[in-house]
């Protein structure tokens, strides 16, 4: 598992990367009430804002961590956005992206480095 | 590091896992460990304790009632001892400078004003009234929800006999607590002005009860929005008339056209004329389709594409007791009451149905 400074977790299986947000991020956001996902098949570039999360407090974005194509999105979040708070590391993954340049994953933190970041 | 003021109960909030945000110059708890959704629902189901000590508490001499009437479209002279009334400071142009509570007690008039407007309001009062006294040594707590009466009765048995908008001074451990049966959540409940030195004791006694949880600003906002209550600076402002804001009911009969003390408050010409002939805009409730919240500032259009902007959202978010996004806004009066409105959120026009207000029917003990 890798982590971004924007508190996303990235799990690579071959060239396909599953993306969610960390428990720390979910706690900071508060109760999530709305999630807007991209469509499968969309081509994305690193740092594109592709997911909108609205909590009871505010709206925030999730960025594409790498270049590639969205191959699957987690439609369960549209009906049950609260999953983001209940199981951020498991059931509440947001999307899977097929990397066009898997070496971009090397830029991201491992778990120890991330834990140090959130202190 | 900052000039933020701390509430008298700051340490107690921190001990309950509060997250703090700056609000009106104070370091305020926005939520506690339970989170906004749980805090909101708990207040509707049981009882929530809010620290609203940032709000301004002001005393006027009892003889100031006529002078106060020159600032508000309220029947202050006719306000009976032991009763409280909602009021508005109006502007000469017919807008709203702040909203407030006015209580008549045995020896004074007691006002509660918004934190962000406190300095303004006190200066505004001093121009018209002699003997304005800001209360700086008392905290203000609100206990709200269906279990509030049972909880507060354990400290102050007398509160069970109070009705909505009654006020009373009650003794507790040798101190005077100023209690009103009111609040800003749509629930039955109380606001309690407590000597600052005793605030922690009162709060700790209440929080030790199983039914009472501390509630932050986040849930306070969603509770008042569901109850259709205005937030000054969003739903009420200097460029919004009380008639546009849906507050005609707050202009008491004796101050209206044909009343014994008709007019005589700032902006009376515009406000009383709008009561007769209608205002250019009106307040609406809005139920966005889908789950995306429409927050304050979202422009409202009359068509899914093109068309014209006909208003804007003044308060919006998710209503935990409604289970859906809710909003209130101001729209041109020409808009048909059953027309679908389209809020532009992140470049997309999302439909919403106009609804009556409130979204949640208040449960005051009348």
């Amino acid at each position: 598992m890798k982590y971004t400074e924007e508190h996303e977790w990235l799990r690579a299986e071959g060239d396909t990367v599953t993306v969610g947000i960390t428990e720390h991020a979910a706690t900071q956001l508060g109760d999530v009430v709305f999630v807007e996902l991209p469509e499968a098949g969309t081509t994305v570039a690193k740092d594109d804002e592709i997911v909108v999360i609205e909590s009871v407090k505010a709206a925030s974005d999730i960025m594409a961590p790498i270049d590639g194509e969205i191959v699957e999105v987690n439609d369960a979040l549209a009906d049950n956005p609260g999953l983001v708070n209940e199981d951020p590391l498991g059931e509440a993954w947001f999307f899977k992206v097929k990397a066009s340049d898997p070496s971009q994953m090397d830029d991201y933190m491992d778990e120890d480095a991330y834990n140090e970041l959130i202190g | 590091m900052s000039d933020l003021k701390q509430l008298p109960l700051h340490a107690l909030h921190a001990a309950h896992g509060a997250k703090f945000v700056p609000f009106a110059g104070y370091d305020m708890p926005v939520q506690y460990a339970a989170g906004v959704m749980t805090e909101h629902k708990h207040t509707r189901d049981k009882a929530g304790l809010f620290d609203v000590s940032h709000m301004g508490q002001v005393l006027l001499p009892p003889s100031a009632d006529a002078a106060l009437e020159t600032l508000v479209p309220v029947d202050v002279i006719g306000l009976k001892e032991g009763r409280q009334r909602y009021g508005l400071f109006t502007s000469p142009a017919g807008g709203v400078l702040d909203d407030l509570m006015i209580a008549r007690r045995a020896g004074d008039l007691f006002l509660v004003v918004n934190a962000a407007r406190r300095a303004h309001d006190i200066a505004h009062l001093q121009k018209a009234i002699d003997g304005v006294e800001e209360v700086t040594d008392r905290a203000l707590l609100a206990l709200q929800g269906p279990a509030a009466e049972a909880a507060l009765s354990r400290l102050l048995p007398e509160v069970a006999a109070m009705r909505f908008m009654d006020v009373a001074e009650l003794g507790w451990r040798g101190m005077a607590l100023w209690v009103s049966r009111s609040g800003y959540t749509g629930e039955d409940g109380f606001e309690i002005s407590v000597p600052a030195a005793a605030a922690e004791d009162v709060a700790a006694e209440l929080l030790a009860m199983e039914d009472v949880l501390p509630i932050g600003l986040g849930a306070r906002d969603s509770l008042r929005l569901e109850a259709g209550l205005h937030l000054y600076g969003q739903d009420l402002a200097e460029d919004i008339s009380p008639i546009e804001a849906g507050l005609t009911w707050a202009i008491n009969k004796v101050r209206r056209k044909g009343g014994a003390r008709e007019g005589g408050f700032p902006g009376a010409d515009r406000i009383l004329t709008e009561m007769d002939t209608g205002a250019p805009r009106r307040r609406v409730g809005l139920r966005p389709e889908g789950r995306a919240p429409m927050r304050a500032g979202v422009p409202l259009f009359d068509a899914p594409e093109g068309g014209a902007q006909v208003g804007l959202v003044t308060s919006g978010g998710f209503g935990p007791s409604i289970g859906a996004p809710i909003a209130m806004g101001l729209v041109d009066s020409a808009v048909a009451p059953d027309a679908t409105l389209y809020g532009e959120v992140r470049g997309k026009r999302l439909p919403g149905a106009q609804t009556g207000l409130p979204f949640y029917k208040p449960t005051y003990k009348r």
Side-chain angles (χ1 to χ4, degrees):
Chain A
M1 198 99 109
K2 296 267 197 169
Y3 299 86
T4 74
E5 284 181 11
E6 281 75 38
H7 308 285
E8 295 159 55
W9 54 259
L10 318 173
R11 193 174 57 232
E13 287 155 287
D15 289 351
T16 301
V17 179
T18 305
V19 179
I21 63 169
T22 65
E23 197 151 355
H24 173 78
T27 305
Q28 291 299 313
L29 279 174
D31 301 297
V32 173
V33 295
F34 172 73
V35 176
E36 187 174 274
L37 297 163
E39 297 205 3
T42 309
T43 301
V44 298
K46 185 174 185 284
D47 295 343
D48 282 356
E49 291 169 351
I50 55 173
V51 175
V52 176
I53 306 180
E54 296 237 17
S55 76
V56 285
K57 287 181 276 186
S60 40
D61 298 299
I62 293 185
M63 298 189 293
I66 51 174
D67 301 341
E69 183 192 334
I70 303 292
V71 290
E72 196 180 344
V73 299
N74 186 0
D75 289 322
L77 296 179
D79 296 329
N80 188 5
L83 273 182
V84 177
N85 302 104
E86 288 161 27
D87 192 9
L89 302 177
E91 279 189 58
W93 59 277
F94 286 87
F95 57 87
K96 297 183 183 182
V97 53
K98 191 166 169 11
S100 51
D101 176 7
S103 74
Q104 287 178 326
M105 288 290 283
D106 300 342
D107 299 345
Y108 292 114
M109 291 173 274
D110 62 14
E111 186 165 353
D112 287 346
Y114 179 71
N115 284 335
E116 202 164 306
L117 174 79
I118 60 176
Chain B
M1 182 189 93
S2 78
D3 298 328
L4 285 181
K5 286 177 276 188
Q6 289 194 348
L7 299 168
L9 294 177
H10 190 87
L12 186 81
H13 298 312
H16 281 85
K19 280 189 205 167
F20 293 92
V21 294
F23 180 84
Y26 282 85
D27 205 13
M28 295 285 295
V30 66
Q31 66 162 82
Y32 299 85
V36 175
M37 199 88 85
T38 302
E39 291 171 26
H40 176 115
K41 289 178 175 167
H42 186 89
T43 305
R44 295 260 184 261
D45 292 342
K46 302 275 182 60
L49 183 70
F50 303 74
D51 185 356
V52 288
S53 302
H54 60 307
M55 297 187 81
Q57 304 182 56
V58 182
L59 292 172
L60 309 180
S63 57
D65 50 6
L68 182 57
E69 284 199 355
T70 67
L71 305 179
V72 297
V74 176
D75 178 8
V76 185
I77 291 171
L79 181 62
K80 292 195 171 69
E81 188 180 316
R83 293 289 292 165
Q84 173 175 279
R85 199 163 266 172
Y86 177 77
L88 306 160
F89 291 121
T90 52
S91 76
V96 179
L97 299 172
D98 197 8
D99 60 344
L100 72 157
M101 286 292 183
I102 305 167
R104 185 188 286 281
R105 312 189 319 148
D108 52 42
L109 294 166
F110 176 49
L111 314 185
V112 178
V113 303
N114 282 305
R117 301 295 285 167
R118 177 173 45 190
H120 165 275
D121 291 352
I122 287 171
H124 187 61
L125 285 162
Q126 282 169 337
K127 277 182 238 160
I129 297 168
D130 288 330
V132 176
E133 181 194 338
E134 183 180 2
V135 179
T136 54
D137 56 355
R138 298 182 79 93
L140 191 65
L141 304 175
L143 185 67
Q144 301 278 294
E149 180 188 293
L152 191 59
S153 295
R154 288 165 68 178
L155 275 59
L156 304 166
E158 304 93 328
V159 300
M162 294 173 72
R163 288 183 303 129
F164 182 59
M165 294 296 229
D166 277 351
V167 297
E169 183 167 315
L170 303 173
W172 185 74
R173 295 185 183 168
M175 283 167 295
L177 307 192
W178 306 348
V179 180
S180 71
R181 192 153 198 163
S182 61
Y184 220 61
T185 60
E187 294 298 324
D188 178 30
F190 302 87
E191 291 191 337
I192 312 143
S193 172
V194 186
E200 190 151 344
D201 286 348
V202 173
E205 290 268 345
L206 292 168
L207 289 171
M209 298 177 195
E210 200 184 335
D211 282 348
V212 182
L213 274 188
I215 311 294
L217 277 185
R220 184 169 169 82
D221 193 50
S222 54
L223 288 158
R224 69 93 198 161
L225 174 59
E226 284 185 348
L229 298 169
H230 302 72
L231 177 62
Y232 191 82
Q234 291 186 192
D235 314 296
L236 286 179
E238 216 170 327
D239 61 356
I240 302 172
S241 84
I243 312 305
E244 290 180 314
L247 289 171
T248 303
W249 63 268
I251 299 161
N252 296 138
K253 213 163 182 177
V254 296
R255 310 301 305 278
R256 297 182 181 187
K257 278 193 180 160
R261 295 191 304 285
E262 170 183 330
F265 53 88
D269 283 353
R270 172 183 171 188
I271 291 167
L272 296 181
T273 301
E274 282 188 359
M275 279 184 74
D276 283 344
T277 60
R281 297 177 296 178
R282 70 164 190 276
R283 183 175 82 132
V284 297
L286 202 63
R287 287 288 300 266
E289 278 178 30
R291 298 190 71 102
M294 291 185 195
R295 298 184 191 270
V298 165
L300 297 170
F301 292 84
D302 59 1
E305 289 172 54
Q309 185 180 341
V310 294
L312 84 170
V313 171
T314 54
S315 281
F318 187 81
S321 302
I322 311 298
I326 54 175
M328 48 186 181
L330 279 175
V331 300
D332 296 345
S333 292
V335 172
D338 59 350
T340 299
L341 298 174
Y342 299 85
E344 196 166 278
V345 180
R346 293 179 286 272
K348 278 185 235 163
R349 298 248 182 116
L350 307 176
Q354 296 181 61
T355 65
L357 289 163
F359 300 99
Y360 175 87
K361 195 171 178 294
T363 55
Y364 308 135
K365 189 183 163 188
R366 304 242 181 218

